Amino acid sequence: MTSQGRIDVAPADWEQVVSGLQREGFVLFDFITAVDRGARLEVVARVINPATRVPVMVWTTLPADAAELSSLSGIYLGATWCEREAAEMFGVRFIGLGDSRPLLLRASLGEPPMRKSSALVARAIRDWPGAAQSTDDGRQGANPSRRRQLPPGVPEGFLRDNPLDSDVSGDVR
Amino acid sequence: MIPAEAHGTIALRASACTSCMICVRECPTWCIELDSHTEQVSDPGARRPKTVNVLDAFRIDFGLCMYCGICVDLCPFDALAWSPEHDHAATTAAGLVQGITELQTAWPPTGPPTDN
Ligand code: SF4
Ligand code: SF4
């Protein structure tokens, strides 16, 4: 075990390491979730030893475009919900997860919403308050000489009618 | 009794705000809005007048704010601070939007030091 209750494991050792922890007394399962690092997806599970109250975080790293990992639901039944959630939110495929129904979302919504590549639609359809610029003395309206700023989470040109895109489309009628 | 360091609401010191827009752009819920204009001010002794931002309006929609404190942390000019004041109840959603006057009233006695 490494310092500060963190263990980093290869994906192939994931299930075995966690099951070893359970045998050592980490019988309380806390959660599983993931972190989108772009090309990599980190998955983390937290388990606790109730006798000592010591928690351990087990981390592993998966390729974002092939995120597959053994399910922990055979070790901790309660991991099922967390894995169903991580599956629909981050697009992790848990091998051996008995119940793979989506937990919160409808099936096949497209891009898992917690991936950074998933566009934040609510942001694309609302005017971004951050797009406002100081108006010059006596003049009204945004200063056109400044560089246009796009809000985070909205890919360029995501919606054609996005008011933020109006000054890049050349076809003014 | 509410402790002085309580995170009751967010207060603004308009005189410290430079209209830099950092809080507006970083707020995850987009609940801050700011209007400003630029003015030329000439300092005695300076060769040319300098352009400064003048704050016209600052609004926080407490119907959307999730009290994450990102705006307070990121403001480079200590113009935002946590206040133990509780934001006022309202009977309409629009009533939860607070402007400069309300946000200044909440400025906490324990907030970052004032320089004026
Ligand atoms: S506390 Fe968070 S949500 Fe509220 S105004 Fe500040 S940045 Fe926005
Ligand atoms: S970050 Fe601070 S100085 Fe900048 S606009 Fe917001 S309140 Fe004003």
Side-chain angles (χ1 to χ4, degrees):
Chain A
M1 194 163 104
T2 51
S3 61
Q4 278 144 11
R6 176 184 174 125
I7 310 178
D8 289 275
V9 301
D13 302 333
W14 175 255
E15 196 180 355
Q16 192 203 329
V17 167
V18 175
S19 115
L21 283 167
Q22 191 196 38
R23 282 194 301 275
E24 282 174 35
F26 291 84
V27 293
L28 183 62
F29 170 83
D30 192 355
F31 63 80
I32 290 180
T33 190
V35 185
D36 183 350
R37 302 283 184 200
R40 297 170 293 116
L41 199 69
E42 292 176 3
V43 180
V44 55
R46 188 175 191 265
V47 293
I48 301 166
N49 183 333
T52 59
R53 301 189 179 190
V54 171
V56 170
M57 306 262 263
V58 189
W59 289 82
T60 193
T61 303
L62 307 171
D65 53 0
E68 287 190 350
L69 196 62
S70 304
S71 169
L72 301 182
S73 58
I75 307 171
Y76 304 98
L77 190 56
T80 309
W81 273 28
C82 287
E83 290 183 352
R84 283 169 65 191
E85 190 182 22
E88 66 185 347
M89 294 295 174
F90 290 94
V92 185
R93 207 170 77 81
F94 289 97
I95 299 154
L97 174 61
D99 184 352
S100 55
R101 287 171 301 154
L103 185 67
L104 301 167
L105 305 173
R106 287 191 185 188
S108 65
L109 257 184
E111 190 76 13
M114 294 300 279
R115 287 279 187 107
K116 286 174 186 161
S117 50
S118 166
L120 301 176
V121 181
R123 293 192 159 191
I125 58 175
R126 218 199 110 184
D127 285 349
W128 185 39
Q133 308 272 18
S134 266
T135 48
D136 286 333
D137 269 330
R139 274 204 287 143
Q140 292 296 309
N143 182 343
S145 63
R146 300 256 192 97
R147 223 185 120 251
R148 184 177 58 112
Q149 297 235 15
L150 268 184
V154 183
E156 191 112 13
F158 175 70
L159 282 185
R160 268 193 63 86
D161 293 338
N162 187 342
L164 291 169
D165 285 342
S166 56
D167 58 335
V168 285
S169 71
D171 51 350
V172 179
R173 279 186 289 179
Chain B
M1 184 161 137
I2 300 167
E5 67 277 17
H7 291 186
T9 189
I10 290 165
L12 170 77
R13 183 156 47 118
S15 62
C17 175
T18 62
S19 313
C20 71
M21 299 286 287
I22 288 175
C23 57
V24 180
R25 294 195 172 123
E26 297 301 326
C27 169
T29 67
W30 293 12
C31 68
I32 308 178
E33 283 182 1
L34 183 161
D35 300 324
S36 65
H37 68 275
T38 55
E39 266 174 23
Q40 311 282 326
V41 289
S42 17
D43 271 339
R47 206 172 294 170
R48 281 187 294 162
K50 62 176 183 190
T51 307
V52 295
N53 287 331
V54 179
L55 186 66
D56 295 319
F58 192 106
R59 290 177 294 272
I60 298 183
D61 184 346
F62 285 104
L64 289 174
C65 173
M66 56 180 179
Y67 300 85
C68 66
I70 288 174
C71 54
V72 176
D73 284 354
L74 290 181
C75 174
F77 303 99
D78 283 347
L80 294 169
W82 283 112
S83 165
E85 291 293 317
H86 274 62
D87 52 326
H88 321 292
T91 51
T92 59
L96 293 169
V97 180
Q98 296 196 349
I100 291 178
T101 317
E102 295 101 317
L103 295 170
Q104 291 213 114
T105 312
W107 189 262
T110 54
T114 42
D115 47 20
N116 54 341

